[in-house]
């Protein structure tokens, strides 16, 4: 009995201490392990294009896995410059890099017997030219899942590794393209990229079944035409088989379908209608709560809390989402 009382008191004291802790935790990059002897660049600046700029996601701390917003301290730009300087050996080069940061988000979810850490990262590095324009040097777009009993350190380490590798890769490279961007165009880079995709410029969309987002983005369906029964999309979509019979298609086999110029996207074994709103494609559909770091954090903010028990299970909930123009993944909207 005494042991039980002592254990309960320990938990209560720990809970009080955790509650008294600040609701943010500092993020700092780990020291780079690679060095460049003849780097072309000695400076890096940051254009932060993330939708959520005030934090880098959610980590869990303490015995009770209290959630804390992860905040760069010092600022991301100062840390990026410090990382670059630690990678450069010898003479400091005059070249300058600019990072357009589109995603940098971490999150953790705790299950019954293990944890999962998530990292979403996307950035483009440009070199600044003498005339003030910028040329694209390298680009990275990745999502990483870390599994284990305690994934905090591993997730933070992977975040450092991803960013360090991106900078290291750029330090000895020239741009592989002659396409230049003004700073204003880098600010509006997403709009410029969308204008190059048939999906975002069409007023009507090509009927057919699309196997991948790339097909959908370029409006090149390779899966043939689809049909409806009784004009009801909720009954599913059908195609003729070799015998001329209608057979229902499996949503898992396709990224999207278009019927009578109305696009539908596949999610969790069902098709959902897409609506073009402003310059984005929006739908309301299911999201597995462990889909990505970005989605976990957006859910936390939507529900007015940090992190959460409420997103730790395998259940599926419905949210307004938009397509990521770059790779077709689903981004939960704030």
């Amino acid at each position: 009995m005494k042991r039980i009382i002592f254990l309960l008191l320990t938990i209560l004291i720990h809970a009080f201490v955790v509650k008294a802790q600040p609701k943010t935790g500092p993020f700092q990059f780990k020291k780079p392990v690679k060095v460049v002897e003849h780097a072309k660049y000695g400076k890096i600046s940051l254009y932060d294009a993330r939708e959520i700029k005030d934090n880098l996601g959610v980590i869990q701390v303490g015995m009770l896995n209290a959630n804390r917003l992860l905040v760069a301290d010092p600022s991301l730009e100062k840390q990026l410059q410090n990382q670059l300087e630690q990678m450069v050996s010898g003479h400091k080069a005059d070249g300058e890099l600019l990072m357009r940061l589109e995603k940098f988000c971490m999150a953790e979810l705790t299950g019954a017997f293990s944890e999962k850490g998530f990292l979403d990262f996307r950035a483009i590095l440009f070199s600044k030219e003498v005339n003030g324009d910028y040329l694209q040097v390298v680009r990275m777009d990745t999502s990483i899942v870390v599994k284990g009993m305690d994934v905090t350190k591993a997730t933070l380490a992977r975040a450092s590794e991803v960013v360090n590798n991106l900078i290291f890769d750029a330090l000895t490279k020239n741009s592989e393209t002659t396409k230049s961007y003004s700073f204003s165009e880098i600010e509006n880079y997403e709009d410029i990229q969308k204008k190059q995709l048939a999906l975002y410029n069409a007023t009507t969309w090509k009927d057919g079944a699309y196997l991948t987002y790339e097909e959908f983005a370029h409006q090149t369906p390779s899966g043939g035409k689809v049909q409806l029964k009784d004009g009801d999309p909720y009954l599913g979509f059908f195609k003729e088989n070799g015998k001329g019979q209608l057979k229902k298609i499996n949503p898992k086999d396709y990224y999207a379908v278009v019927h009578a110029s109305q696009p539908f996207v596949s999610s969790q074994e069902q098709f959902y209608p897409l609506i073009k709103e402003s310059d984005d494609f929006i739908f309301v559909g299911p999201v597995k709560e462990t889909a990505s770091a970005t989605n976990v954090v957006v859910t936390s903010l939507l529900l007015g809390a940090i992190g959460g028990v409420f997103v730790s299970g395998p259940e599926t909930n419905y949210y307004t989402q938009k397509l990521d123009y770059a790779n077709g993944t689903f981004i939960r909207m704030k």
Side-chain angles (χ1 to χ4, degrees), residues 18 69 78 89 96 98 106 108 114 118 133 143 163 175 188-189 194 198-199 209 267-268 279 307-309 313 315:
V18 169
L69 279 177
K78 288 182 178 179
S89 175
E96 181 177 341
L98 171 65
M106 287 167 275
E108 293 180 49
S114 65
F118 300 87
D133 284 347
S143 293
V163 176
S175 174
N188 296 284
Y189 183 85
K194 286 179 178 178
L199 174 66
S267 178
Q268 304 299 318
D279 206 20
V309 174
E315 69 274 8

Side-chain angles (χ1 to χ4, degrees), residues 50-283:
R50 295 175 300 151
E51 293 193 22
I52 302 174
K53 295 180 172 61
D54 60 355
N55 68 78
L56 298 173
V58 176
I59 59 170
Q60 297 177 345
V61 299
M63 188 171 67
L64 298 181
N65 284 331
N67 293 287
R68 297 288 180 262
L69 279 177
L70 197 58
V71 178
D73 183 22
S75 71
L76 269 181
E77 187 165 46
K78 288 182 178 179
Q79 290 197 51
L80 289 172
Q81 179 62 33
N82 184 56
Q83 296 302 100
L84 184 150
E85 290 175 356
Q86 292 184 77
M87 293 182 197
V88 175
S89 175
H91 175 71
K92 184 177 179 180
D94 295 328
E96 181 177 341
L97 292 170
L98 171 65
M99 176 185 285
R100 176 184 160 89
L101 184 61
E102 297 187 348
K103 289 183 179 181
F104 191 0
C105 188
M106 287 167 275
E108 293 180 49
L109 292 178
T110 301
F113 302 104
S114 65
E115 296 180 352
K116 286 185 179 179
F118 300 87
L119 168 66
D120 296 337
F121 181 82
R122 182 161 73 223
I124 309 160
L125 285 178
F126 299 86
S127 62
K128 187 174 183 179
E129 303 302 296
V130 176
N131 64 359
D133 284 347
Y134 295 85
L135 296 176
Q136 183 172 319
V137 179
V138 291
R139 180 181 184 275
M140 181 177 287
D141 186 355
T142 187
S143 293
I144 295 171
V145 179
V146 178
K147 298 179 181 180
M149 295 301 294
D150 185 358
V151 298
T152 304
K153 290 182 179 179
T155 306
L156 293 173
R158 290 301 300 274
S160 289
E161 179 184 349
V162 164
V163 176
N164 287 341
N165 286 342
L166 179 65
I167 297 173
F168 180 84
D169 190 31
L171 285 176
T172 57
K173 280 191 175 182
N174 292 318
S175 174
E176 296 178 354
T177 176
T178 58
K179 165 63 178 172
S180 63
Y181 297 87
S182 66
F183 185 79
S184 176
E185 288 175 322
I186 289 177
E187 290 179 305
N188 296 284
Y189 183 85
E190 180 174 329
D191 295 332
I192 293 172
Q193 299 307 305
K194 286 179 178 178
K195 288 177 181 177
Q196 298 179 28
L197 299 175
L199 174 66
Y200 287 88
N201 291 284
T203 53
T204 59
W205 294 275
K206 191 174 293 186
D207 284 4
Y210 298 81
L211 296 176
T212 65
Y213 172 69
E214 288 71 24
E215 287 188 2
F216 191 48
H218 296 289
Q219 287 293 280
T220 54
S222 67
K225 300 289 185 181
V226 297
Q227 301 181 38
L228 291 177
K229 280 188 176 180
D230 302 324
D232 187 353
Y234 292 102
L235 296 178
F237 292 89
F238 297 78
K239 288 173 57 178
E240 286 189 359
N241 60 19
K243 298 179 180 180
Q245 300 170 327
L246 286 181
K247 183 178 180 181
K248 187 175 181 180
I249 65 173
N250 189 341
K252 292 194 296 184
D253 295 333
Y254 299 91
Y255 178 83
V257 299
V258 177
H259 181 268
S261 199
Q262 168 62 55
F264 297 80
V265 69
S266 171
S267 178
Q268 304 299 318
E269 301 185 13
Q270 184 61 274
F271 287 105
Y272 297 88
L274 281 170
I275 299 172
K276 191 174 183 184
E277 185 177 289
S278 211
D279 206 20
D280 282 309
F281 283 90
I282 307 296
F283 74 101

